[in-house]
Amino acid sequence: MREVTFLEAIRLAMWEEMERDPNVFIIGEDIGRMGGAFGVTEGFLARFGPNRVIDAPISETAIIAVCVGAAAVGKRGIAEMQFIDFISYAFDQVVNVAATYLYRSGGKTPMPIVIRGPSGGYVGGSLYHSQQYEAWFFHVPGLKVVQPAFPDDAYGLMKAAIRDNNPVLFFEHKYLYRRIKGPIPDAHEDYIVRLGEARIRRYGNDITVITYGAMVHFALEAAQRLEREGISLEVIDLRTIKPLDMDTILESVRKTSRVLIVHEAPKTGGVGAEIAARIVEQAFEWLDAPIMRVAAKDSFVPFAEPLEKFVLPSVDDIVAAARELAAY
Amino acid sequence: MSTVSPLVRNGQHVTAHHERLTKQDLLEIYRRLWFARLFDEALYDAKKKGRLRRGNVYSSRGQEAIMVGTTYPLREDDFVSPIHRDMPVFVFRGMRLEEVMCQVWGKAEAPTRGKDSWSHMGDISKGIIHSTSMLGSTIAVACGVLWAQRMDGRHDRVLVAYTGEGATATGPFHEGLNFAAVHKLPLIVVVENNQYAYSTPVELEVPTETVAERALGYGIPGYSIDGNDVLEVYDAMCDALEHARAGKGPVLIECVTYRLLGHADHDETRARQYRPVAEIEMWEKRDPIPRFRTYLLSTGLFTEEELPNPPTDIAEQIQRAIEYAINAPDPEPHTALEDIYDEHAGVSRCVK
Ligand SMILES: Cc1ncc(C[n+]2csc(CCOP(=O)(O)OP(=O)(O)O)c2C)c(N)n1
Ligand SMILES: [Mg+2]
């Protein structure tokens, strides 16, 4: 076991996969000489050389397109978006080119690509350095979407994403990078967290909280607070947002009969809507209360502190919603 | 105007428009250079001292001559679209210093009401077109602003869009400039080539010897000039303005300069690792302000006392605006949900 930060876990996973498989390469802005804006790829250029560590021009479209082309002929690219917000420039490459490739090649040409980058708010990053875009990609067939909350998951999921034969969007919450520490397995253990499997981070009986990313930590804090009031939360960390692990969700719902979905992205059209719909479709008779959602207000993430706080969900919001559900 | 070859290297063939500048003009240019420098220093200082707690400070230290030289010859009804290293341009184009500082501090009376940060602001009534973080994006947006002028029969209003050399690698930069060239829109793209995009040196962003050569692909004039010589910038800008106002289409001006500090205030340590210190020191010697001052003294038109170094009143004015912003009220939380939609049906508001 190694005790590492969330950031270091991601770094090590990529490093070890690059050691293992010479087809893996990384590409992005300032990732080589500088080691990345957040330092996730520090040391990679010196170790793996310029053919596998590409300092790209400010060209998000090309960065992802290079991964697409290379994947078509057998390589496995990891594209860094300096901030995940900038993926909007490359939207076409992700949704029209990468996502469809296998389909339109008659199943012959897989697309092993990882698109990763810092996402999320709570750091005063303002409109274009704070967003959680998972819902955009959640909607698109052919893509997988991942967002870990703990170092061990970040580590195991990154390895799985690199080995996966499909385009995987890997959201790294920048708030967690250096704040969260935890143990990860040693390199020789070849530890993998399979995509599509949720993990129960806290067991409870009264309410199922379904969440991912930084919100897992908020939910765990809320659970601790509510324990004193005799309300017991079961916290499911989805880890992989697409494909959704409905088995884990449904099993928990059948136990608690109350559901609270928490995400940081705006509520309207968010991932929570799909989860709620599926629970209603598949476990309606088990529910004792309406499914509730805590999410960002339908706004951009604003700059000024009082505004950002107002828009983004808080631990208090989760506590309040859970109390309401418990009283139902 | 002088015949402009499609590609102007090293400032050759630029007409010496600056010869018509009066002593008053030269003094004002000198003061503006200092304004830009002191603005930058004051914000860096505020950040370091913890008086500015949110947001990055992107320094324009060393690049002042570009902002001053490109805005000085503009007409009041021209447009500009500044980006992250162009904060002083907002003031040169008529925004109040207090407003700008309120934007930096995310206050309620900022142009964005605290919604967005730093240079992501504008004021259409002053011809200042808003940008986002998405680099290169404004070059394409500029085409729409200029097309609207064409629709209104105002062909000679020019838009000056600023960009770093790194951002010339983006799609919207290319699409925008291509569109403007196809339709001969009066767009002047000022490329602030400060040699680095964050840590990435220009040769990994731009394959040609100069950024100006990109202009060849659009069939428009491309200038590569000394961006640390305020009068050369002024001259090239005057050439470009004549070209654009005459309906001949866009011009690209590459101003060769250097980012003396880090990418932003958080980058100071690393910026001295990914760049050779000797290179930084070499460019410090080409500082545009002492250079212009030496020139002014050499003309014999100025005494030492007429060129204070720096002019103290400017620093005081900047400090007053900072105090104003710090004491200004924060936005009310609920205003976060205002301005997402405009409910004024069918009324165009705030048109310049
Ligand atoms: C589309 C996009 N990609 C990446 C970034 C992150 N970023 C912000 S500034 C910057 C470097 C810009 O370099 P350049 O255009 O040369 O301008 P400079 O900062 O040197 O003035 C980068 C990569 C961004 N803002 N937008
Ligand atoms: Mg630059």
Side-chain angles (χ1 to χ4, degrees):
Chain A
M1 283 288 179
R2 300 169 274 178
E3 184 83 8
V4 298
T5 61
F6 188 76
L7 183 147
E8 184 67 4
I10 295 165
R11 200 185 83 85
L12 285 169
M14 292 198 291
W15 184 281
E16 290 164 17
E17 287 307 292
M18 287 184 74
E19 292 282 9
R20 195 185 58 81
D21 181 352
N23 285 312
V24 179
F25 69 97
I26 61 174
I27 180 168
E29 291 154 19
D30 305 292
I31 64 161
R33 299 165 77 253
M34 185 169 77
F38 287 85
V40 181
T41 54
E42 241 166 56
F44 279 57
L45 182 60
R47 174 70 187 91
F48 300 107
N51 281 349
R52 297 177 67 200
V53 179
I54 307 167
D55 266 325
I58 304 173
S59 303
E60 283 75 12
T61 298
I63 288 168
I64 293 179
V66 164
C67 292
V68 171
V73 294
K75 302 295 179 198
R76 311 180 88 84
I78 306 173
E80 172 173 305
M81 299 285 104
Q82 198 161 83
F83 285 82
I84 205 71
D85 312 58
F86 306 143
I87 200 173
S88 54
Y89 268 4
F91 200 65
D92 178 65
Q93 288 298 325
V94 181
V95 306
N96 280 332
V97 186
T100 62
Y101 212 125
L102 181 70
Y103 193 66
R104 63 197 159 86
S105 68
K108 291 193 188 68
T109 308
M111 267 297 112
I113 301 175
V114 178
I115 302 167
R116 49 160 292 269
S119 71
Y122 303 95
V123 296
S126 193
L127 269 71
Y128 330 95
H129 294 78
S130 301
Q131 297 176 93
Q132 276 289 144
Y133 278 158
E134 69 277 11
W136 291 7
F137 303 103
F138 185 67
H139 189 64
V140 180
L143 301 178
K144 296 186 180 182
V145 185
V146 173
Q147 184 160 29
F150 287 91
D152 55 350
D153 286 338
Y155 176 75
L157 286 165
M158 177 55 81
K159 290 195 161 210
I162 294 168
R163 297 181 195 186
D164 198 274
N165 270 349
N166 300 281
V168 179
L169 284 123
F170 200 95
F171 288 80
E172 301 165 5
H173 204 295
K174 61 179 86 72
Y175 187 83
L176 307 181
Y177 268 156
R178 295 178 199 279
R179 281 186 183 84
I180 302 297
K181 265 191 151 179
I184 63 168
D186 290 324
H188 66 85
E189 292 178 45
D190 202 31
Y191 178 77
I192 289 287
V193 175
R194 281 195 297 273
L195 302 186
E197 291 182 4
R199 172 167 176 183
I200 298 177
R201 276 283 171 186
R202 180 189 171 107
Y203 287 91
N205 298 314
D206 300 331
I207 298 169
T208 298
V209 181
I210 304 163
T211 187
Y212 52 91
M215 293 302 99
V216 175
H217 299 277
F218 282 27
L220 290 171
E221 196 183 321
Q224 227 166 27
R225 277 207 233 160
L226 288 164
E227 192 175 25
R228 286 173 239 142
E229 299 175 22
I231 302 172
S232 149
L233 303 190
E234 176 144 303
V235 178
I236 299 180
D237 176 357
L238 287 176
R239 307 192 293 186
T240 302
I241 304 165
K242 187 176 192 174
L244 268 176
D245 180 358
M246 284 311 293
D247 291 345
T248 300
I249 292 173
L250 293 173
E251 196 181 320
S252 177
V253 171
R254 285 193 288 263
K255 177 167 75 174
T256 64
S257 299
R258 286 177 169 77
V259 179
L260 176 60
I261 303 165
V262 182
H263 59 63
E264 186 183 326
K267 186 184 267 187
T268 300
V271 167
E274 175 66 22
I275 298 170
R278 288 201 198 179
I279 293 170
V280 170
E281 281 170 355
Q282 297 172 37
F284 181 71
E285 65 280 14
W286 292 91
L287 291 173
D288 285 345
I291 296 170
M292 291 184 67
R293 285 178 291 165
V294 168
K297 299 190 172 65
D298 286 334
S299 166
F300 311 100
V301 182
F303 172 59
E305 196 169 358
L307 303 183
E308 188 187 30
K309 275 198 172 136
F310 185 76
V311 166
L312 293 179
S314 65
V315 176
D316 286 344
D317 293 339
I318 299 172
V319 167
R323 280 191 191 129
E324 206 179 312
L325 263 181
Y328 217 86
Chain B
M1 72 176 286
S2 60
T3 46
V4 178
S5 63
L7 202 62
V8 176
R9 284 224 182 88
N10 305 323
Q12 287 160 344
H13 311 301
V14 177
T15 314
H17 297 274
H18 71 269
E19 285 170 4
R20 64 173 183 236
L21 291 170
T22 64
K23 183 174 175 186
Q24 211 44 50
D25 285 323
L26 294 169
L27 210 51
E28 177 61 20
I29 287 172
Y30 180 72
R31 284 180 61 82
R32 287 191 184 192
L33 288 170
W34 267 114
F35 173 83
R37 173 66 51 92
L38 296 171
F39 180 95
D40 207 72
E41 287 181 354
L43 287 185
Y44 246 69
D45 185 59
K47 187 73 192 284
K48 204 180 292 165
K49 291 191 175 137
R51 305 193 76 204
L52 174 61
R53 296 197 325 274
R54 233 171 151 72
N56 292 334
V57 176
Y58 297 90
S59 170
S60 53
R61 189 179 187 86
Q63 305 184 197
E64 294 87 353
I66 303 167
M67 293 177 275
V68 177
T70 53
T71 50
Y72 202 73
L74 293 184
R75 285 193 335 216
E76 207 195 308
D77 65 344
D78 287 328
F79 295 96
V80 294
S81 192
I83 54 159
H84 56 290
R85 246 173 265 289
D86 305 316
M87 289 299 271
V89 170
F90 291 97
V91 180
F92 298 153
R93 296 304 290 166
M95 258 195 205
R96 285 182 304 111
L97 192 46
E98 288 77 10
E99 255 183 301
V100 174
M101 292 304 184
C102 281
Q103 167 74 5
V104 174
W105 264 265
K107 294 305 177 94
E109 56 194 89
T112 67
R113 306 178 68 200
K115 303 280 172 63
D116 210 343
S117 61
W118 196 243
S119 59
H120 307 141
M121 60 172 163
D123 183 341
I124 301 298
S125 72
K126 297 187 169 72
I128 305 173
I129 306 300
H130 308 70
S131 70
T132 65
S133 274
M134 300 302 292
L135 296 166
S137 153
T138 49
I139 309 299
V141 171
C143 295
V145 173
L146 292 169
W147 195 272
Q149 304 314 306
R150 178 170 289 185
M151 287 167 73
D152 290 346
R154 309 186 66 176
H155 296 79
D156 65 340
R157 292 174 89 181
V158 164
L159 192 150
V160 183
Y162 295 85
T163 174
E165 83 292 343
T168 71
T170 63
F173 172 86
H174 168 73
E175 294 184 26
L177 205 42
N178 188 64
F179 185 99
V182 164
H183 291 290
K184 295 211 178 320
L185 294 172
L187 171 66
I188 299 176
V189 174
V190 173
V191 180
E192 303 166 301
N193 179 3
N194 59 9
Q195 314 299 323
Y196 286 88
Y198 210 150
S199 75
T200 305
V202 58
E203 59 271 19
L204 289 179
E205 299 282 352
V206 180
T208 45
E209 196 188 320
T210 66
V211 182
E213 276 159 86
R214 292 213 190 271
L216 295 176
Y218 313 110
I220 64 169
Y223 287 71
S224 181
I225 60 162
D226 182 346
N228 285 17
D229 178 346
V230 69
L231 294 181
E232 189 164 311
V233 175
Y234 175 86
D235 288 343
M237 191 65 185
C238 290
D239 271 4
L241 285 167
E242 286 178 13
H243 182 94
R245 290 206 211 282
K248 295 179 186 167
V251 180
L252 187 156
I253 305 176
E254 171 195 12
C255 302
V256 178
T257 184
Y258 195 76
R259 194 193 76 205
L260 286 176
L261 298 181
H263 174 60
D265 57 280
H266 61 73
D267 186 46
E268 288 316 329
T269 315
R270 278 192 308 188
R272 295 183 84 81
Q273 292 160 358
Y274 61 69
R275 308 188 300 181
V277 172
E279 177 186 283
I280 302 172
E281 285 167 357
M282 194 249 301
W283 279 93
E284 272 164 357
K285 296 200 187 86
R286 300 187 194 168
D287 188 324
I289 301 181
R291 214 170 130 185
F292 186 55
R293 188 170 189 275
T294 305
Y295 165 80
L296 290 180
L297 290 172
S298 77
T299 62
L301 291 170
F302 297 87
T303 62
E304 289 270 356
E305 298 72 58
E306 282 176 297
L307 302 173
N309 203 9
T312 45
D313 59 317
I314 297 178
E316 285 160 15
Q317 184 198 350
I318 291 167
Q319 214 46 54
R320 273 198 302 277
I322 287 178
E323 300 310 324
Y324 179 90
I326 288 174
N327 294 315
D330 287 323
E332 292 292 331
H334 68 88
T335 62
L337 300 185
E338 294 176 359
D339 307 328
I340 295 171
Y341 295 99
D342 190 358
E343 306 299 348
H344 304 70
V347 188
S348 295
R349 295 194 290 151
C350 199
V351 172
K352 177 173 175 167

